[in-house]
Amino acid sequence: MIDPGEPKYQWGQPVRAAADLCNDGSFPAAGDEEILVRQGDPGEVVQIGTHVDSNSFVYMVEFAKDRVVGCFENEIEPVV
């Protein structure tokens, strides 16, 4: 496994969705491919993990009180 380096985003950092984020099956209460978060929706990084298969960081982003979504770096962008 190659070291993925340092995460691009940090805990507590405000971000927004870079694209519409759809259900990949990880939200059983939502339909398949249902939009969970719309492009531009604001959120905050609440946890950082690693996706073992792709050897990349996964950011748990709280977009709403009931909507915490795992995102790859290309799915979010910093709020400036």
Side-chain angles (χ1 to χ4, degrees):
M1 177 169 15
I2 298 171
D3 180 6
E6 293 295 316
K8 182 175 180 178
Y9 303 104
Q10 303 302 315
W11 286 23
Q13 183 173 355
V15 295
R16 67 176 156 244
D20 289 345
L21 302 178
C22 299
N23 186 17
D24 62 0
S26 57
F27 280 83
D32 288 346
E33 297 302 314
E34 180 178 328
I35 295 175
L36 300 173
V37 178
R38 298 244 178 234
Q39 181 177 0
D41 282 355
E44 179 181 320
V45 177
V46 294
Q47 188 172 5
I48 302 170
T50 305
H51 186 266
V52 176
D53 291 341
S54 66
N55 196 39
S56 58
F57 291 107
V58 176
Y59 301 89
M60 299 305 292
V61 179
E62 184 175 29
F63 287 100
K65 290 296 179 197
D66 63 342
R67 197 57 56 133
V68 177
V69 179
C71 302
F72 290 111
E73 286 184 354
N74 65 329
E75 296 176 320
I76 54 177
E77 56 193 19
V79 173
V80 286

